[in-house]
Amino acid sequence: MTAITVYDGNDTIGGNKIYVEENGKGLFLDFGANLHNYDKFFQPYIQPRAYRGIHDLWLLNLIPHLNIYRKDLIPIDLDVTSAPKLDIKAVLLSHVHMDHYGNIGFLDENIPVVASSFTFSLLKGLQDSYTPNAGSEVIYINKRKPHPPDERLLTRGDNYGRDLIATDSYNENLEHFLWQASRKRGGIEKGELSLLKESDLPFSVTPYETDHSVYGSIAYILEGEHSIAYTGDIRLHGEREMQSKHFIDSAKNSEILIIEGTRLTGENIFDSENVVLDYCRRAIDISKGLVIADFSNRNLERLELFKQIASKTNRQLIIAARDAYLLYALEIVDMVDHLEDILVYHRPMTRPPFWETSILQDKKRPNYITNEDIKDNPDGYILCFSFGDVMNFLDITPVRGIYIYSSPGAFKTEQEFDFIRLNRWLKSYGIRPYGFKIDKVKGRERPSFTRGFHASGHASENELEWIIDRIDPDIIIPVHTENLDWFREHFKDKAKILKKGEKLNL
Ligand SMILES: [Zn+2]
């Protein structure tokens, strides 16, 4: 008997936690952080307390009430034993976005994770170079221990690698990198890395590479008593469009389609990566002074795009060290030198992090560039920075230039304030923004976003319709969307809208 339960991500964008089971044994399709719901309670200074394990998220109902979590993250004053248990054989992770992987770290350490080798390598890079948070401990977990005399508090302990199952073949470098110590006293006890083909799961699982805004994105087709296709996040207008189409063709016999619907809310601008290339190129062509390009550091396809523009406009690309580390992670898998012709910004810092000095510099010796070098020749560079890097303006002191915002617009009111602040920084250095502008609406400053400088990682309404028609499933389960009505209206008899935690028995 097959059943599907959507524990989260049923009516929000992100936080996907979809459980599929066959005769009592199951797989999670993603186990992401529901950032939409996190935002209802948290802001940068109000965050779940790391030393309380899963306590805070559990009490705020931000993770499903199930008895499936790491024991070391359950403090003595939290009882989860009366919650239902699940026999989870693995998590099938679609890609490296927090709203898909950000809660995997909480899961029992014996549950392996399935993903592409790109995904594993990028996750290791991120886990090393960002502030650790138990939820995103996918590659290795830091086992917490109670902190006497107050046993409710948890402190950091030793690192253990989780068992990982790759959807594609991998080399020895990856195995070495995954368990390589990234902190001075942070050795990692090895986990096991194996190939999906050789693993024993409750369904026969076939991975398909897809097109999304991060490399290594995977859609899955599961075959058991019934066949289930899961898109993950998908689009048809980037570099890997053909891969997405191959998945869609292969999913034609699937009875159940679990599909994202991110872009069904709000404006439906259709721009492709080619349009972005065109707009950014033109803006840079007509500009003098420093060019700053702002995009997600995981969007390595966009980085390639700016690298291409740089070489055509006689500029050199400069990235932050943490981004260089992600490119190094990519190289571990595909053995291509992604740092070739790229400079790394040498930020003033008293003690550079261990991953930078002992892994990145040891292996790559990146070409560093200082604020003085940039000051001397501002027309020679494209600097890949985001709002979080603006403090460096105080050292670089640009006198003119442009700032290309190449990411999605602000969804929340608080984010709007960031753009107002960013605009102030740009104004004081004579830098012209592209991709967004600030207008006065009824005496109040508000940002608006101009098209052409960003292409979405998600399928447009037309693309979604095309995907569904082509696969022609018997049942459609929408996830990762705020517009369930669209599915109800367009696919009346087939759309199955599941409530949070509702089980669909097939
Ligand atoms: Zn995504």
Side-chain angles (χ1 to χ4, degrees):
M1 167 128 115
T2 313
I4 301 175
T5 313
V6 182
Y7 281 101
D8 204 356
N10 56 311
D11 59 358
T12 52
I13 293 177
N16 286 17
K17 299 182 188 75
I18 305 149
Y19 192 60
V20 288
E21 57 192 308
E22 183 106 315
N23 305 321
K25 292 187 173 81
L27 301 171
F28 260 106
L29 301 171
D30 289 330
F31 203 79
N34 191 328
L35 303 176
H36 175 90
N37 286 344
Y38 276 35
D39 281 337
K40 292 180 182 166
F41 297 95
F42 305 131
Q43 47 103 308
Y45 303 106
I46 300 172
Q47 287 288 314
R49 298 163 296 177
Y51 55 84
R52 297 290 276 134
I54 62 166
H55 176 274
D56 299 352
L57 294 172
W58 180 281
L59 260 63
L60 292 167
N61 263 313
L62 292 171
I63 50 174
H65 284 190
L66 295 166
N67 188 3
I68 58 175
Y69 300 108
R70 275 163 56 185
K71 301 282 173 291
D72 65 303
L73 292 178
I74 304 170
I76 50 162
D77 57 338
L78 178 67
D79 184 15
V80 306
T81 52
S82 55
K85 265 194 170 142
L86 300 175
D87 191 4
I88 307 167
K89 295 303 178 193
V91 179
L92 308 185
L93 171 59
S94 60
H95 65 284
V96 201
H97 277 153
M98 272 293 275
D99 58 338
H100 293 259
Y101 78 81
N103 284 166
I104 289 179
F106 296 138
L107 290 172
D108 188 291
E109 64 266 37
N110 297 311
I111 301 170
V113 176
V114 178
S116 66
S117 42
F118 269 141
T119 295
F120 286 143
S121 197
L122 291 172
L123 276 173
K124 168 68 158 72
L126 288 166
Q127 205 180 328
D128 289 349
S129 58
Y130 281 78
T131 323
N133 144 347
S136 43
E137 291 178 354
V138 181
I139 305 299
Y140 53 95
I141 65 165
N142 181 274
K143 218 167 205 165
R144 309 304 202 271
K145 42 191 189 192
H147 185 264
D150 191 341
E151 304 260 336
R152 295 173 306 165
L153 310 183
L154 307 171
T155 60
R156 297 177 67 81
D158 297 327
N159 295 316
Y160 298 87
R162 197 183 273 273
D163 288 348
L164 306 173
I165 303 172
T167 55
D168 51 337
S169 55
Y170 51 87
N171 58 39
E172 286 167 13
N173 295 347
L174 178 65
E175 232 170 330
H176 174 76
F177 177 56
L178 290 178
W179 324 121
Q180 189 175 5
S182 59
R183 287 187 181 78
K184 216 167 192 166
R185 279 185 297 275
I188 302 168
E189 180 151 323
K190 280 187 185 176
E192 200 185 302
L193 181 63
S194 60
L195 253 183
L196 178 61
K197 268 190 258 173
E198 292 142 15
S199 62
D200 182 27
L201 299 173
F203 291 85
S204 141
V205 176
T206 316
Y208 292 87
E209 226 190 295
T210 50
D211 191 12
H212 181 43
S213 50
V214 283
Y215 285 152
S217 296
I218 298 283
Y220 291 97
I221 295 180
L222 314 185
E223 265 154 312
E225 213 174 296
H226 298 270
S227 50
I228 303 165
Y230 173 53
T231 60
D233 284 353
I234 194 168
R235 67 173 175 182
L236 299 170
H237 52 268
E239 201 184 300
R240 293 174 306 284
E241 173 190 342
M242 291 319 292
Q243 279 88 328
S244 287
K245 286 189 170 152
H246 174 62
F247 156 69
I248 292 158
D249 283 338
S250 308
K252 273 183 182 166
N253 296 321
S254 300
E255 299 159 65
I256 298 126
L257 172 65
I258 305 173
I259 186 167
E260 69 129 315
T262 314
R263 279 175 70 191
L264 295 170
T265 9
E267 44 171 6
N268 203 3
I269 292 172
F270 187 81
D271 286 329
S272 68
E273 290 290 333
N274 282 329
V275 171
V276 177
L277 177 69
D278 232 49
Y279 271 66
C280 294
R281 170 77 200 263
R282 261 186 284 160
I284 294 172
D285 269 338
I286 57 166
S287 303
K288 288 237 168 6
L290 189 61
V291 172
I292 298 151
D294 177 345
F295 52 90
S296 156
N297 70 335
R298 276 154 236 207
N299 193 342
L300 299 169
E301 186 177 340
R302 194 63 55 77
L303 187 133
E304 286 296 329
L305 182 148
F306 279 105
K307 196 174 165 186
Q308 209 180 320
I309 297 177
S311 80
K312 287 191 175 133
T313 53
N314 290 320
R315 289 173 182 263
Q316 263 187 299
L317 209 63
I318 306 174
I319 61 176
R322 54 164 199 273
D323 301 342
Y325 192 49
L326 289 190
L327 289 183
Y328 169 69
L330 210 58
E331 179 183 336
I332 293 281
V333 176
D334 66 8
M335 318 244 266
V336 174
D337 183 4
H338 295 278
L339 278 166
E340 202 188 0
D341 302 325
I342 288 186
L343 302 168
V344 177
Y345 184 65
H346 189 276
R347 65 216 184 284
M349 160 165 258
T350 47
R351 203 159 18 119
F354 189 73
W355 56 262
E356 186 174 349
T357 52
S358 74
I359 304 182
L360 183 61
Q361 289 176 9
D362 186 39
K363 295 281 162 43
K364 287 297 314 175
R365 312 221 167 277
N367 295 313
Y368 283 97
I369 182 168
T370 66
N371 58 317
E372 293 295 333
D373 300 328
I374 300 173
K375 226 190 265 183
D376 288 346
N377 180 23
D379 293 292
Y381 308 106
I382 295 177
L383 183 56
C384 301
F385 266 7
S386 47
F387 181 46
D389 301 305
V390 284
M391 292 304 282
N392 293 302
F393 284 7
L394 298 168
D395 301 320
I396 300 171
T397 58
V399 286
R400 61 177 171 179
I402 62 169
Y403 188 102
I404 301 178
Y405 181 71
S406 184
S407 274
F411 299 112
K412 300 171 287 175
T413 327
E414 298 130 69
Q415 286 175 329
E416 294 192 350
F417 291 115
D418 285 345
F419 286 94
I420 293 166
R421 287 190 191 99
L422 171 62
N423 194 52
R424 251 173 239 141
W425 280 88
L426 299 181
K427 240 186 177 163
S428 57
Y429 285 103
I431 296 171
R432 177 176 171 188
Y434 280 90
F436 82 99
K437 59 183 180 18
I438 304 291
D439 299 308
K440 269 226 162 99
V441 183
K442 290 182 190 157
R444 231 191 86 202
E445 288 187 303
R446 292 207 64 182
S448 62
F449 298 87
T450 35
R451 60 177 297 179
F453 297 93
H454 173 65
S456 172
H458 301 277
S460 64
E461 181 178 352
N462 289 341
E463 287 175 342
L464 284 173
E465 246 182 309
W466 186 86
I467 295 171
I468 296 170
D469 285 343
R470 194 133 175 122
I471 295 179
D472 191 27
D474 302 329
I475 297 173
I476 302 162
I477 301 175
V479 292
H480 207 282
T481 187
E482 284 175 357
N483 194 352
L484 294 166
D485 284 339
W486 184 86
F487 290 92
R488 281 192 192 100
E489 284 158 20
H490 285 72
F491 303 96
K492 248 182 234 110
D493 310 323
K494 292 181 168 185
K496 179 75 198 162
I497 312 295
L498 291 178
K499 289 197 195 81
K500 197 181 245 192
E502 184 191 349
K503 190 173 192 168
L504 173 68
N505 285 307
L506 297 167

